[in-house]
Amino acid sequence: MAKKEEDVKLLGFWASPFSGRVKMALKLKGVSYEYLEQDIVDKSALLLELNPVFKKVPVLVHEGKILAESHLILEYIDQTWKNNPILPQDPYEKAMARFWAKFVDEQVGPVCFKSVAKPDKGIEVAIEEGQELITFLEKELTGKDFFGGKTIGFLDLVAGSMIPFCIARGWEGMGINMIPEEKFPELNRWIKNLSDIEIVRECIPHREKQIEHMMKVAERIKLA
């Protein structure tokens, strides 16, 4: 049953994969919420008040309870609204979903975008190193519609928001084909499956606008 809109608030940023995955989870659960778009440079007093430790989006507020960090928010959403489970029920599968989600955010995101935007060892080496990491995800998808099996789950929300609907648009802007279909058929099939889901499509940032945003991010990385 959907909660009243005033019970749930989400502070986010339109281009953030971390905010995007929380939006997808709330939609998957059928939870109504108030969305508060944030300026991640000139941070609002509300954001600083609600997340004084990290000062980042997303922040979820549910009945006065404040949560930060997207993985924790996804788990909270899953445990609070039981319909359409996000995390696997099996303890081992649940642990592995968390493991690969951490891998996506801590390894794939930084290496496959930052290293390509500022390729200290040359662009070809940066692409090769990125593809080596992505190959692990390709293997995880073999024989599955989604990382979660037949339906989208925790890792689909994390990897989907980060790879096809964020850093891949940076690659596109840079003219790099990081995940060609002949090399990554499973990943490309998974991206198509994700794109076919209405709640996912509703949370995907506008493509051209996001390419432009990611090129600005890449420029900042180069100058750093």
Side-chain angles (χ1 to χ4, degrees):
M1 183 178 175
K3 289 283 180 184
K4 291 179 182 178
E5 196 167 283
E6 62 267 22
D7 288 340
V8 183
K9 292 182 176 65
L10 174 63
L11 281 70
F13 175 60
W14 70 271
S16 164
F18 308 103
S19 301
R21 63 188 56 159
V22 176
K23 290 180 187 176
M24 290 178 197
L26 290 168
K27 282 185 175 290
L28 184 64
K29 296 287 189 176
V31 179
S32 297
Y33 64 98
E34 180 184 357
Y35 178 69
L36 302 169
E37 177 70 12
Q38 300 297 300
D39 185 327
I40 57 172
V41 178
D42 183 15
K43 298 178 182 181
S44 70
L46 180 62
L47 176 60
L48 297 175
E49 177 193 339
L50 295 178
N51 189 6
V53 177
F54 295 112
K55 304 177 178 64
K56 292 179 180 178
V57 294
V59 178
L60 185 79
V61 184
H62 175 225
E63 295 180 345
K65 298 186 287 285
I66 302 159
L67 293 103
E69 297 298 287
S70 67
H71 291 198
L72 301 180
I73 294 172
L74 292 181
E75 295 210 28
Y76 176 83
I77 290 170
D78 199 34
Q79 291 168 14
T80 302
W81 295 279
K82 303 292 187 183
N83 59 307
N84 298 330
I86 293 170
L87 276 158
Q89 298 305 301
D90 178 79
Y92 176 74
E93 290 179 6
K94 186 181 294 184
M96 291 310 296
R98 289 174 176 142
F99 171 85
W100 288 116
K102 190 176 172 73
F103 170 77
V104 166
D105 282 352
E106 295 182 6
Q107 297 291 320
V108 176
V111 172
C112 295
F113 187 70
K114 290 181 182 175
S115 298
V116 173
K118 191 176 183 178
D120 295 330
K121 304 178 206 170
I123 190 65
E124 289 180 3
V125 173
I127 291 171
E128 186 179 338
E129 289 178 351
Q131 289 181 336
E132 283 178 10
L133 293 177
I134 294 168
T135 297
F136 287 110
L137 298 175
E138 176 76 5
K139 289 175 182 173
E140 284 299 306
L141 278 166
T142 302
K144 300 178 187 174
D145 292 335
F146 301 98
F147 286 108
K150 289 291 180 187
T151 56
I152 61 171
F154 185 76
L155 184 52
D156 298 288
L157 299 180
V158 171
S161 59
M162 177 61 75
I163 300 172
F165 310 128
C166 182
I167 59 175
R169 289 171 171 184
W171 300 331
E172 187 176 346
M174 290 184 271
I176 294 168
N177 187 5
M178 179 69 85
I179 47 173
E181 191 155 1
E182 61 274 13
K183 192 175 180 72
F184 298 102
E186 300 290 340
L187 200 69
N188 279 279
R189 182 176 54 80
W190 167 73
I191 291 169
K192 183 183 181 303
N193 289 343
L194 273 183
S195 303
D196 287 342
I197 297 174
E198 186 177 356
I199 65 113
V200 173
R201 285 199 307 272
E202 289 172 354
C203 300
I204 298 171
H206 185 273
R207 184 170 152 272
E208 285 76 16
K209 186 181 175 186
Q210 195 176 28
I211 290 172
E212 184 181 341
H213 168 75
M214 293 303 290
M215 293 310 293
K216 289 177 183 173
V217 174
E219 196 57 36
R220 287 200 296 272
I221 292 169
K222 284 179 193 173
L223 296 172

